[in-house]
Amino acid sequence: MKGNLLTSYLAGALAVMAGIYIAGGISGAHMNPAFSFAMCLIEQFPWWKFPIFMFVQTLASFLSAGAVYILYYDAIWHYSNGTLTVSGPRETASIFATYPADYVSIANGFLDQVIGTGVLIVVIMGIMDTRNKAVPKGLEPVVVALLVLSIESSMGSNCGCPLNPARDMGPRLFTYVAGWGPEEERRVRANAREYNEKFQYASNCIKTSKYNIVTFLPVNLFEQFQEVANTYFLFLLILQLIPQISSLSWFTTIVPLVLVLTITAVKDATDDYFRHKSDNQVNNRQSQVLIGGVLRQEQWMNVRVGDIIKLENNQFVAADLLLLSSSEPHGLCYIETAELDGETNMKVRQAIPVTAELGDTSKLARFDGEVICEPPNNKLDKFGGTLYWKENKYPLSNQNMLLRGCVLRNTEWCFGLVIFAGPDTKLMQNSGRTKFKRTSIDRLMNTLVLWIFGFLVCMGVILAIGNAIWEHEVGICFQIYLPWDEGVHSAFFSGFLSFWSYIIILNTVVPISLYVSVEVIRLGHSYFINWDKKMYCAKRQTPAEARTTTLNEELGQVEYIFSDKTGTLTQNIMVFSKCSVNGHSYGDVQDMLGHKAELGERPEPVNFSFNPLADPRFQFWDPSLLEAVKLGDLHVHEFFRLLSLCHTVMSEEKSEGELLYKAQSPDEGALVTAARNFGFVFRSRTPKTITVHELGQAITYQLLAILDFNNIRKRMSVIVRSPEGKIRLYCKGADTILLERLHPVNQDLTSITTDHLNEYAGEGLRTLVLAYKDLEESYYKDWSERLHRAGSAPEAREDHLARLYDEVEHDMMLLGATAIEDKLQQGVPETIAILTLANIKIWVLTGDKQETAVNIGYSCKMLTDDMTEVFVVTGHTVLEVREELRKAREKMMDASRSVCNGFSYQEKLPSKLTSVLEAIAGEYALVINGHSLAHALEADMEVEFLETACACKAVICCRVTPLQKAQVVELVKKYKKAVTLAIGDGANDVSMIKTAHIGVGISGQEGIQAVLASDYSFSQFKFLQRLLLVHGRWSYLRMCKFLCYFFYKNFAFTMVHFWFGFFCGFSAQTVYDQYFITLYNIVYTSLPVLAMGVFDQDVPEQRSMEYPKLYEPGQLNLLFNKREFFICIAQGIYTSVLMFFIPYGVFADATRDDGAQLADYQSFAVTVATSLVIVVSVQIGLDTGFWTAINHFFIWGSLAAYFAILFTMHSDGLFRVFPNQFRFVGNAQNTLAQPTVWLTIALTTVVCIMPVVAFRFLKLDLKPELSDTVRYTQLVRKKQKTQHRCMRRAGHVGSRRSGYAFSHQEGFGELIMSGKNMRLSSLALSSFAPRPSTSWIETLRKKKGCEGSSVGSPSGAASKTLKV
């Protein structure tokens, strides 16, 4: 083989040489880049041709690889199994070069290229040595060709091409292009790592961090220099290193720039360290992997696609697995998916029958099935694939999959085959990337820095032109004793150099200390959040935490909040609260006067000590219900009998009398537990029986059928035979469904029960209606036979069953209704109400079902009965969704037109509104399902959906995936240009938390993924109110006041140089000495503005919470915007004019006490500098709204420091030590000893400050802001107690709404009846666990619709309906 290669290469080299000689050096003769490189080295060809040679050679190699691929397509496909790989074991790229090599890698090829090229260069250096020339002149190309050939022949590890990078890279490039694109299907073979590795599937290592040791410095610097200011200061630093134009030392810029970059880098590194730490914690979790027939402990990150791993009870699932077998009968296992969809309900998964018997490691080790399935995607509820094993194929679905993030419950062990790992898992596919978040103020500051730089250039141009004219007209006359600097030969060039000098001098309009101060202020605000005891949860011992320091002021500008439901708004704890039995409502506790008792006035809960099997955690407050049970009320007994029989709960009795219920939904658990405490105790079940202890007596019912629940039926039923032989159907379900199926004899009872349901629904309780029906034996036999036939029907099985279910569930007798409280987190309704008053719109994005989400919406007062209408969008097609959205918009428009009394609505709209819908009258809400939302988020409909949603007061999106949550947030960010906040507590919320401007994580019961991805975290939703209205509003206020003052004081400081330029021949001479310029922003004025930026507040925290309208200036961006910026710099320029010209005018004719002339450069500089420090100190005193000891110390201390440093720098002692640096001995003392100087300083201060004082007094008197009004009210009423407003529930208006909500899953009934989930030893599962003074804001927000459009719901408006 080597001989053949040698012959072919020799022939090729001779052909190349012949081509060179024949073509006379034409580049087309070069077929080897190494040869071309060598020819350039020996100066046979120019270097500029080398890139052209390389491109042509690589292109030729690329096309050759394509030709080989076409000719040998079948063989390559057979070898590669349809997967083209660029590198790694069994790479296919090498096929196109020569022949496949087992371990040909890019690393090996690159090493060969480097070594071969090094050898070539060394030998060519010997060839080209003119002192000992070993090669005759003219034969250098031949020798070089032979040299290339010999090196290639001797170093053949890369298929004989170590010196032909084109021949190596061309095929690799073609392989990458040919194999590029999305994965079309996934092929996974069990217990075959070598086979699976050639597909180069992702490992199970996850990465949420942004940097590593190698990339940190370049990537972080790249991100930091995206800040325009950092680039600007780097540019200035470069200028200051040029001595011809620099009049300031370079250290004045490089020290603060490096400080800023270092502080930011350390902060970013710290944040990323915690992300790395979190990743390592997850990646280093232990898992049992079946390797070589033995279970070995492996870290999660070492798990590979195709591995078989073992999970044990309560373990997290390491990757997306195909369930192979489990400890449960028929390969069942139970999982909790809170990390995926936020639901803590138990869900069931089942292995396919052919693998369910593989229960021991020896059988699993021999399992070599191959799975061909869909590629990685983010669809949590869908999976499609096929298992090929033993010449058979078996279909796979989502019911066979265990997804990463799930927790194995109530299953001792199970085995699974890894299908997707790491970033390919559905959980990670739904997680957005870690994004670099910046505030709107940061973005505005970047724009302002560009404007300031443009202004700086304009000033530099003006002064440079002035310098050129002055030098041409005046300076030319003084060349004898004021010659131009060396290298300056014309007035024009002098002006050019003067331009750059002034750019350096005037750069302090935006000092680097601005960004240092901003970071310090943000850090201080973050510590205030961390130290806030009112956001500390003592129960969980969890403080609030600001996990980032860059977004604090953005908290004061939030307009949209996107919230998860389960675990965020609710505790996901269901409590049996009330019930209605035979027309009598139980659950309300009355005091001695017969009034409803409040929570704090309730007596002791009902005593269930008579029942030894009662759950001690259950509490009920109405003793009359227990009395009815004890008195033998038949209706009450039947009510609880139904609750103890009609369910799919599993029971386990670990010890005598210790019952543990495992319910598929918390609703069922609450109902069965209630029946248990009232004496109807569900003890056990088999596939055909249910055993209940009724008031201490064990009774076994024969279970004849379970008519399972689903989202269409909205009900479930059981048919049982009592010991007496009576057959009875028990049913529970939604009131909207069951009330239509009652016997007409129930009309009066239905009316009373409906009133009770209205009352329960109005309180936000989740309701179910209970009914029963006696069945004749003959009818049941006939119906049972038809049910059996329908169950075995080959086609339309579900339809046949639904018709039979519907047939038997008619003419039922009403028993009553239950009302369950889905316990909200403490303070949720109040928090939502107050945030709504702050003009913050709250959208709930939940994976829960529609009914549950709507009921929680009513519970937390997002939805109210006073709303004009609640629109429900449930369309399954694009057309249906579009039509439902259109009808909703039309209804809102029609209602608004009717309120406008016939006037043209469009004519009254403000021109800045983008949509007519933004000014509608009335209050509306929108509820949309996940499948409908998928269509609504399509590009051609997203704007319609957004307009409709934004016109509503509340929006609830149900059954949404994590990715859809992020898409909704992104949609609002894209079109509304509003600050968004996302809050959640589970891994299913991570994507939207990362997408929103601000992400808040609730440290709840669903893990810490949401917290780790968040910017802020705390333990309860109610703390969000304080985070936004207090910390957020104060942070925004402080940052805005800080920026306004900072730009003001620096323009006042810098512009004096500009005016001085007209009086110093435009020579770039500074007014102040160099040390004052350096210390002005670092010492003299830094601490007072920092104190204001950290501690200032306009009103106390209690008033911030009491007056939510105070939050709106941040949403409208009123306190710092382009207009406010121009006002600040105008005030700064005005101050600089007075600061320069008043002392200049005084010094023109002033004399000292001894009659000598007062005017000299240093005296003028000291006077202007002293005036400046005093004026800006007085100004910050006026700007400070909240004085602390620190403010006083910093302001007066800075003034004292200025005078101390000033006198020190002009002292004799410092002159003796540094005579060349401090030459003006005694100047400060002599200047400030003159009364004229102090009168000048006082005059300058008064003239600069008085207009500001006058303007603020007039504004406070003529057009006060809401904060001014609140402060005035506080002063007037400081001795009065705060009047607490009580929230009253609005009275019910209009038609009844349903309070039905039942978080149940279809399929458990069939499992129970089949007995597949029954153990032989245990038949149960283990436990689971004020005043609206806002005219100035309302003027901005006023929507010119029509009179009354600002009223919530007009008098006589149509009552709310639920539109489906």
Side-chain angles (χ1 to χ4, degrees), residues 660-678:
L660 297 175
Y661 288 159
K662 183 65 175 181
Q664 188 218 343
S665 68
D667 309 69
E668 278 210 322
L671 295 176
V672 177
T673 301
R676 167 185 174 180
N677 276 58
F678 281 98

Side-chain angles (χ1 to χ4, degrees), residues 308 314 372 423 466 485 494 578 754 790 836 849 1071 1116 1213 1258 1304:
I308 294 177
N314 296 324
I372 299 178
D485 294 335
S494 175
K578 297 182 180 181
T754 300
T836 303
K849 57 189 296 185
V1071 177
L1116 297 171
L1258 289 173
H1304 202 72

